[in-house]
Amino acid sequence: MFPSLLWLRLLCCAMQAKPETWAVQNIYATVVVHGQGTGFVVDNRHDITDLSNVSFTWALLDGSGVRGSGSASGGPHTTGNTLALHGYTPVDGVGVEINATSPRGYVINIWHFGESKPTAPTAMLLKGKVSTDTIHVTKAPDGSLTIVPTGGAAQWRMSADGELSATILEAAAVNADDFSAKSADNVLMQGGPALLAVDITNSGPQQLSETNDRNYGPPLTDTLPGWSSAGPASYTLVDADTAALVNVSGTYSDTATVHFLYRFNGTGTIDLTYTLTWHGPKMSPRQIGVVFDLPSTVSKLSWARKGQWSYYPQNMIGRPVGTDVEPRTCTSLFDACPHGAAVPANEWKDDTNTLGTNDFRSTKANFTHYMLCNNADMCVGMTSAAEHHGRSWMHVCSLAKQATTVAYCSTAAIAQHDYRCWMRTVCAVYGYPQTTRHHRLLYIAWMS
């Protein structure tokens, strides 16, 4: 049983590859190709096979279809063997893909060399008619702030207790206090920041029994409860009134004290830093970050990230670039490989639950750009020097959680969707009274 459990970490019960498969394939590849100057060398990790028995192919990454074969020789456990790519001439700005195939016919690994960096999404934070003019701040009697460039195209609101919302106004001449131009499509942010700190010992939904009466742990989406602001936000205009610094402080029950410092720029961007002092029980955090609430319509995810490997399959949730990935949630879950169930037609990345597909709700580590857009192409995005991580999920909010329930959808229910509502491992679904659905965006500052 032990080997079977190990393989189930790499393959789902329908024998489709999970993301860990690609990591294992790279780590334990019996052939490794390295770039060396304008050429390439090969390390042979085989115990018996000579590199002359391994098939190498190459192809330009410009879509031209130019390709060819390669060859190398070198005994087992040798390094630095020269790889000759027959007919290959380097082209400026064009990468090359190299494949190695075992004598037994399977692909050992794939490498990309000279490929350009992932392209950043064209739209970023608060895309629209964003003015580069000076910042205007209005403070209401209740302590809330309205922050808008004098052109009036982008508008932020900070409530008295520190809740942030963002709106694009269609008319550039709209006064900061005039919300008549606001429509549902223009609302890009409707709450946050909240703080999320996930203990590394909490691995999320866990199956504790082989019976149908399963017990599960909490999902990895619960933010710290009990936010209490230390007082209304304070602000200062800086850099000739082209930016506004806003300070918000408060506590999360007896768990943490947090100070948020925003810099609202006239270019339509926000720089956010925060200081966290932890007072709760000792924990080893898996992820620490801030969470923002977005309308459910702002749910088309695009990203560019720095990957660990030079090549990723396009069906990998860890691929360096993703465009317009949608959550495609289902309201009930299909049991994990029940007896007689048909193997789903979709790929593992498209398996979904109430939080969204695996592709949508997975952490995109070391992103350079991370963006969510609505159908009107208005977006909320984040940028980083590949030092931060992003995660999104669909969220159902209610004043009070009721008892945890587990629901399954039948084969007939699956057929009602244009995608497969399938879960390899069943997870907890909270039952709620009257609910509303929105979307949550996690900006991870630290991850282990």
Side-chain angles (χ1 to χ4, degrees):
M1 177 177 288
F2 185 64
S4 298
L5 290 175
L6 290 179
W7 278 111
L8 283 176
R9 293 182 179 271
L10 304 180
L11 303 175
C12 69
C13 57
M15 301 305 290
Q16 289 177 311
K18 295 166 65 177
E20 293 84 353
T21 307
W22 190 244
V24 169
Q25 184 171 333
N26 276 272
I27 293 170
Y28 294 101
T30 51
V31 171
V32 180
V33 177
H34 305 277
Q36 188 176 79
T38 59
F40 303 94
V41 296
V42 190
D43 297 342
N44 186 359
R45 294 175 171 179
H46 284 101
D47 291 328
I48 299 174
T49 303
D50 190 277
L51 287 176
S52 60
N53 296 313
V54 176
S55 298
F56 293 93
T57 60
W58 63 270
L60 293 182
L61 294 173
D62 59 357
S64 63
V66 176
R67 61 187 64 246
S69 61
S71 60
S73 62
H77 302 289
T78 57
T79 61
N81 303 288
T82 299
L83 172 62
L85 301 182
H86 309 305
Y88 169 67
T89 301
V91 179
D92 288 343
V94 177
V96 63
E97 177 178 295
I98 299 176
N99 289 21
T101 303
S102 165
R104 290 184 285 174
Y106 64 84
V107 175
I108 296 175
N109 214 346
I110 302 172
W111 302 266
H112 281 189
F113 296 96
E115 192 174 21
S116 60
K117 299 297 182 182
T119 304
T122 55
M124 285 311 298
L125 182 64
L126 291 175
K127 183 192 173 194
K129 302 172 185 176
V130 179
S131 171
T132 58
D133 218 329
T134 56
I135 287 285
H136 177 73
V137 181
T138 302
K139 189 167 187 176
D142 65 355
S144 62
L145 302 178
T146 299
I147 306 164
V148 62
T150 54
Q155 176 180 272
W156 298 272
R157 273 201 154 182
M158 179 79 70
S159 70
D161 63 354
E163 285 283 330
L164 182 66
S165 62
T167 306
I168 292 288
L169 300 181
E170 293 291 353
V174 171
N175 183 276
D177 296 321
D178 180 6
F179 298 95
S180 60
K182 186 170 68 174
S183 68
D185 284 342
N186 296 59
V187 179
L188 300 184
M189 187 183 295
Q190 58 187 26
L195 190 68
L196 183 143
V198 178
D199 195 331
I200 201 168
T201 61
N202 178 2
S203 57
Q206 292 289 314
Q207 180 174 318
L208 303 180
S209 169
E210 292 299 325
T211 70
N212 288 329
D213 298 320
R214 296 180 172 95
N215 297 309
Y216 301 92
L220 305 180
T221 56
D222 289 344
T223 54
L224 296 182
W227 167 254
S228 177
S229 173
S234 61
Y235 74 92
T236 305
L237 295 177
V238 296
D239 296 338
D241 294 351
T242 60
L245 300 181
V246 177
N247 291 274
V248 178
S249 298
T251 59
Y252 289 95
S253 299
D254 297 325
T255 305
T257 301
V258 185
H259 173 73
F260 297 102
L261 174 61
Y262 298 85
R263 179 188 171 98
F264 293 88
N265 302 300
T267 56
T269 63
I270 304 173
D271 300 320
L272 171 63
T273 59
Y274 66 94
T275 303
L276 165 66
T277 303
W278 187 262
H279 307 296
K282 290 183 179 180
M283 63 179 290
S284 179
R286 173 193 296 265
Q287 292 180 340
I288 295 176
V290 290
V291 178
F292 292 94
D293 293 330
L294 281 58
S296 60
T297 53
V298 185
S299 59
K300 293 194 299 183
L301 172 64
S302 300
W303 72 87
R305 59 176 291 269
K306 181 182 179 181
Q308 183 176 5
W309 315 112
S310 66
Y311 167 77
Y312 286 82
Q314 286 305 299
N315 62 354
M316 266 280 294
I317 62 175
R319 61 194 182 280
V321 177
T323 304
D324 290 343
V325 173
E326 299 188 46
R328 308 181 77 176
T329 57
C330 61
T331 56
S332 54
L333 305 178
F334 193 38
D335 198 358
C337 292
H339 295 296
V343 175
N346 63 269
E347 297 175 321
W348 186 87
K349 73 178 180 67
D350 296 319
D351 286 356
T352 190
N353 64 12
T354 53
L355 303 179
T357 64
N358 291 334
D359 201 15
F360 179 82
R361 60 189 171 88
S362 55
T363 299
K364 309 306 179 187
N366 304 110
F367 68 77
T368 56
H369 297 80
Y370 187 99
M371 180 177 67
L372 289 136
C373 299
N374 61 17
N375 289 330
D377 200 25
M378 295 181 178
C379 310
V380 173
M382 306 183 293
T383 60
S384 173
E387 298 174 346
H388 299 92
H389 325 285
R391 179 156 65 94
S392 299
W393 63 91
M394 299 301 290
H395 183 73
V396 177
C397 60
S398 175
L399 293 178
K401 290 182 179 179
Q402 296 188 350
T404 299
T405 60
V406 178
Y408 306 89
C409 60
S410 66
T411 304
I414 294 174
Q416 297 173 6
H417 301 284
D418 61 350
Y419 57 92
R420 302 303 293 262
C421 173
W422 177 276
M423 279 296 295
R424 317 301 174 146
T425 53
V426 184
C427 72
V429 180
Y430 288 114
Y432 294 97
Q434 188 68 32
T435 60
T436 58
R437 181 175 291 277
H438 64 280
H439 171 254
R440 306 205 85 177
L441 166 64
L442 169 62
Y443 181 70
I444 304 171
W446 188 88
M447 183 169 70
S448 62

